[in-house]
Amino acid sequence: MTPDIIDGKYRVIREVGSGGMAHVYRAINMSSRKVVAVKMLKEEYLNDREFLRRFEREAKASLALSHENIVRAYGVGDDNGVPYIVLEYVEGKTLKDLIQESPGGHLSVQQAIGICSQILDALSYAHAHGIIHRDVKPQNVIVTNRGKAKLADFGIAREVTASTVTFSGKNVVGSVHYISPEQAKGLPVTEESDIYSTGISLYEMLTGTVPFIGETTVATALMHLSETPTPPRELNPAVPPALNDIVLRAIEKDPKMRYSSAKLMRSDLIRSLSHPNGTFARDRESKESKTPGRRMSLSVYAWISISVFTPILVIFLAYLGYANRWCAGKDAAVEDVSLPMATTSASASVASVTVTAQPEQQTNAYQTTPLVTGLRLDDALKALHDVGFTDIYVSIEYAAEDARAGTVIQQSQPANTAPKAEDPIYLTLLLEKRGKYKADVAFMLDIPENDSRVQIVYRTSSTDNIDYSVILYDTVRTKETMVSISATVYSNDPATRTLYLLVNGEEVRTQDVKFSE
């Protein structure tokens, strides 16, 4: 029977779902008037210690996690002896329903990658906080009308260090069509267990079916241990070879053969958008670093390196900075980028660099905007920094045979005028050629409104320790859902960097990429 009021605080509107151990109601917080979801344990389980423990674990895990792709928990309570959790109310469909209602009974490749990337974002965050979900499946993912995916139901989640037994003869805790082989064996779960379940979910998104369906629960669980899955590309020819490889790697029987982290799998998914025929997902080289002994050795070597070489490196960098200011022929410290767009209709004619400094505020009323054309980038940044500019954008042009190469050739705010340090200033930097190291980057996102400014940046600093952000992509887009922004970007050094996706100046996504030849 649906209650009218829960704990004297929440007026029930209607029941929106009923799972294995709880009812979920849409309700209104009578004090704040906010719409919430209230999840109440079913009365028949009030005396079942295992279900009570699972419900408590869900409350604990949900309250500990705050991420845009995880259903947020606001609090817990007790209504006449019945425990409940107050959750964010998400208007949308379960991923399971979305798959079943899609044309052909499966999602498009782009939509599947977009949703799976968000699930992996949620898992990456949960794993970083020491929590393994253990029950990733389409039924536990809610997708809004704008394509935002949110992972729910941490009812059997555990801390990474907890010991668990999930399959013992007859009983399977977790959804049998999505559980990992180690769960089916009753072994402790790891981050790779969630990767496996995510891979099975992606398989279903792309094909409309799960790879293993037995006559009984136990038979299905055993198929995860011994049966070879049909490659998704054989069921849906629209699945690109690279994506097919990603799915098969994620659902390897041996956890050591899977992706070692949600972040790595997400990176390959995004890469598959611009390289659909690539073979990168088959590369197992990174797996060599997964053994505990190898990790320990690397950690020891790292600490030795830090202890011995850091003082030397600091002195060396200080010398370079000093020498750079006195050597007129020294090239400016600037990253080189290029933007051939892969899957978006928008384009940018040049690459840009944005510089965000933290200057001391100037009080001299007679200071003017300096003339920085003709200066190398570091000198231009310092000159603008000294008069209080905090937003400096640098567009890059290329000219192989031009004596001005390596200098600023244009500035937006005229020199010798009253500076508007609170406004952005745009510079144009001339370089001879782009760097030889490159990386592929792509983001799935929703464009929230017309004339939204979309940027991809990474952050670094000049030789004078002026922080700035290199803009790899900068354009204005109209409102749209599930957009793919992708590019090949170039650099002068083989670094690994964190890229940030900004929409109207706010960070909405991050991605680690490695620049290599």
Side-chain angles (χ1 to χ4, degrees), residues 188-423:
V189 297
T190 62
E191 294 178 9
E192 288 87 348
S193 305
D194 279 349
I195 297 295
Y196 183 92
S197 299
T198 303
I200 298 292
S201 299
L202 179 57
Y203 188 107
E204 185 175 2
M205 284 186 247
L206 295 168
T207 66
T209 185
V210 292
F212 306 121
I213 303 175
E215 294 183 357
T216 65
T217 297
V218 173
T220 301
L222 293 176
M223 292 177 74
H224 287 280
L225 302 177
S226 59
E227 296 293 325
T228 300
T230 301
R233 185 169 166 81
E234 292 185 15
L235 301 179
N236 178 8
V239 176
L243 183 55
N244 186 78
D245 291 342
I246 291 169
V247 175
L248 295 179
R249 179 172 173 180
I251 61 175
E252 286 277 8
K253 307 296 185 189
D254 184 352
K256 294 181 181 179
M257 299 297 288
R258 299 176 206 147
Y259 289 99
S260 60
S261 73
K263 183 177 290 186
L264 287 175
M265 182 176 174
R266 183 191 187 280
S267 178
D268 270 6
L269 280 177
I270 297 302
R271 190 175 180 184
S272 73
L273 288 168
S274 54
H275 291 76
N277 296 314
T279 60
F280 46 86
R282 302 176 196 169
D283 182 10
R284 302 294 199 273
E285 184 177 353
S286 63
K287 294 298 174 181
E288 295 177 1
S289 65
K290 292 186 56 164
T291 63
R294 179 68 174 272
R295 285 179 177 171
M296 184 177 296
S297 298
L298 289 175
S299 178
V300 171
Y301 295 147
W303 280 111
I304 293 174
S305 299
I306 291 171
S307 301
V308 175
F309 294 110
T310 296
I312 298 173
L313 181 60
V314 169
I315 295 171
F316 180 67
L317 291 177
Y319 169 76
L320 287 182
Y322 175 82
N324 187 60
R325 289 192 293 272
W326 288 94
C327 296
K330 183 74 175 175
D331 287 339
V334 62
E335 295 299 333
D336 181 20
V337 297
S338 180
L339 292 172
M341 301 310 297
T343 59
T344 177
S345 59
S347 63
S349 59
V350 294
S352 299
V353 178
T354 180
V355 182
T356 303
Q358 301 296 331
E360 296 179 1
Q361 296 300 319
Q362 303 295 321
T363 57
N364 186 345
Y366 297 99
Q367 292 216 41
T368 60
T369 301
L371 177 67
V372 297
T373 56
L375 298 181
R376 295 189 175 275
L377 181 61
D378 278 355
D379 296 328
L381 298 182
K382 189 175 188 308
L384 294 169
H385 172 276
D386 288 344
V387 297
F389 282 98
T390 59
D391 290 312
I392 307 172
Y393 297 84
V394 183
S395 298
I396 301 176
E397 292 185 1
Y398 300 97
E401 298 180 0
D402 193 313
R404 299 174 301 165
T407 66
V408 175
I409 61 174
Q410 187 175 353
Q411 65 186 81
S412 62
Q413 288 197 30
N416 302 317
T417 59
K420 297 179 180 178
E422 70 278 6
D423 294 337

